[in-house]
Amino acid sequence: MPASIARRTAAALGLTAALALSACGNPDDGATAEVAAANGDTTKINRSPDQNRVTTEKVEAIAERVPEEIRKRGTLEVVNSSGSAAPLTFYATDNKTVIGVEPDIASLVADVLGLKLRLNPVSWENIFVGLDSAKYDVGFSNITVTEERKEKYDFATYREDNLGFEAKKGSGLKISGPADVAGLTVAVSSGTNQEKLLVEWSKENEKAGREPVDIKYYQNDSDTYLALQSGRIDVYLGPNPTAAYHAASSGKTQVVGTYSGAGATLQGLIAATTKKDSGLAEPLADALNEVIDNGTYAKVLKRWGLSDEAVTASEINPPGLPRTAS
């Protein structure tokens, strides 16, 4: 579509803009945090289990095209990562209620489809295992469109994918390309598009006669940030929203570079992810376009300080992160 093509073309001219965040907890109850977007607007984030999510109406013409098995069941089985990553998907102050921008967008889609939302938090790798076995209908978990994944899954896009390089405050690092991470120790989550990009950069460095990247993997974010503070790693590469949110809230780190999740020439996109040919991708895209058009999508992004990552339309299976070069 013209608007989204223009957006990706603009991304090809350089790195994606950083999502500027500042956060502070409420000293009284710990259930709110203030987040400021790049344009200076400030949003108070509700971190309590009482979310009062943005809602929208069912659209019968879209709902009737949902596969019959799902319509009869009456629930939309959404799988998402159990890892706590504010403001994407994380646990509320009761440590059991799943909240964040991803569950909120999934909730809007379920509304349009006339289905009850059911969130199923699992480990990252089990998201895809569950989709493969049809245990879950769709993944809303900051999943990037990649050319490799398109062989097994269908995608309906709903947010830009921007990556952030997070380093210890005062490190002096500035990262904009492969040469800037040569010889550095960088942590990344296994099986993610961030890992694919980092592996590709490391190979580029070796071909250019530079040192490769020393890639490290940790079980969870807390272990990663402990390693960052202790100096065992130089940088953590993750989703830019979570990197910026953590840097602002901790005061101990900073984002030292951003990059499109699909590489230098293509704007990365986050998408609702379904098993290939499940029949659900088109109703999902239509539902997402409905909430984009009626304004509830914008309200959700603003609610979590992510208005800068909005898309103008949902696309089915657009170009994604290219395969890693051999």
Side-chain angles (χ1 to χ4, degrees):
M1 297 182 183
S4 52
I5 291 172
R7 186 182 295 275
R8 291 199 299 272
T9 302
L13 300 177
L15 303 181
T16 55
L19 177 67
L21 297 177
S22 63
C24 59
N26 185 323
D28 297 324
D29 57 16
T32 60
E34 288 188 356
V35 179
N39 63 7
D41 291 343
T42 300
T43 300
K44 182 171 285 189
I45 286 181
N46 173 15
R47 297 175 57 246
S48 79
D50 302 316
Q51 283 294 290
N52 298 315
R53 283 191 174 119
V54 178
T55 61
T56 193
E57 296 296 319
K58 177 181 179 180
V59 178
E60 191 62 47
I62 300 175
E64 66 185 12
R65 291 190 290 107
V66 170
E68 184 178 7
E69 180 183 352
I70 298 174
R71 282 190 281 114
K72 285 184 174 179
R73 188 207 306 143
T75 61
L76 185 65
E77 298 294 330
V78 171
V79 62
N80 55 337
S81 175
S82 57
S84 188
L88 300 174
T89 302
F90 63 112
Y91 289 102
T93 50
D94 64 355
N95 292 319
K96 63 181 181 180
T97 302
V98 178
I99 63 174
V101 69
E102 303 287 71
D104 275 13
I105 292 176
S107 180
L108 283 180
V109 168
D111 285 347
V112 173
L113 300 180
L115 300 170
K116 180 179 179 181
L117 175 68
R118 286 192 48 171
L119 297 172
N120 298 274
V122 300
S123 61
W124 172 258
E125 64 275 10
N126 280 322
I127 290 175
F128 301 97
V129 172
L131 290 173
D132 291 345
S133 66
K135 183 177 182 179
Y136 310 115
D137 300 321
V138 56
F140 278 88
S141 194
N142 203 55
I143 301 171
T144 303
V145 180
T146 75
E147 290 304 307
E148 184 176 355
R149 288 174 183 163
K150 280 164 63 177
E151 292 184 358
K152 294 180 65 176
Y153 308 101
D154 285 324
F155 295 94
T157 60
Y158 61 87
R159 194 164 48 76
E160 287 188 352
D161 172 35
N162 298 320
L163 310 180
F165 293 88
E166 189 176 0
K168 200 171 180 179
K169 207 164 191 178
S171 69
L173 294 172
K174 295 292 181 184
I175 298 173
S176 61
D180 298 322
V181 292
L184 296 184
T185 303
V186 183
V188 72
S189 295
S190 178
T192 62
N193 71 309
Q194 297 97 278
E195 180 192 27
K196 288 180 181 294
L197 184 70
L198 194 60
V199 168
E200 181 71 17
W201 279 15
S202 186
K203 289 178 179 179
E204 286 184 37
N205 282 333
E206 289 187 275
K207 288 179 181 178
R210 298 186 292 260
E211 290 185 67
V213 182
D214 183 9
I215 301 174
K216 299 293 185 184
Y217 301 93
Y218 292 89
Q219 291 296 318
N220 51 58
D221 284 350
S222 59
D223 290 342
T224 304
Y225 288 126
L226 183 61
L228 190 60
Q229 284 305 307
S230 66
R232 284 177 290 156
I233 61 173
D234 300 303
V235 178
Y236 174 37
L237 174 59
N240 190 52
T242 60
Y245 187 99
H246 176 264
S249 58
S250 71
K252 297 179 180 179
T253 61
Q254 63 186 122
V255 175
V256 295
T258 60
Y259 209 78
S260 165
T265 61
L266 184 68
Q267 174 60 58
L269 294 168
I270 300 297
T273 306
T274 69
K275 188 176 182 180
K276 197 76 176 174
D277 300 322
S278 69
L280 193 54
E282 287 191 7
L284 286 170
D286 288 344
L288 286 161
N289 282 321
E290 168 66 21
V291 299
I292 289 170
D293 291 343
N294 72 22
T296 54
Y297 165 81
K299 289 180 181 178
V300 165
L301 291 187
K302 184 176 181 181
R303 184 172 189 243
W304 296 102
L306 295 178
S307 297
D308 293 345
E309 298 200 345
V311 295
T312 57
S314 179
E315 300 176 83
I316 296 175
N317 296 332
L321 174 68
R323 290 180 174 276
T324 302
S326 58

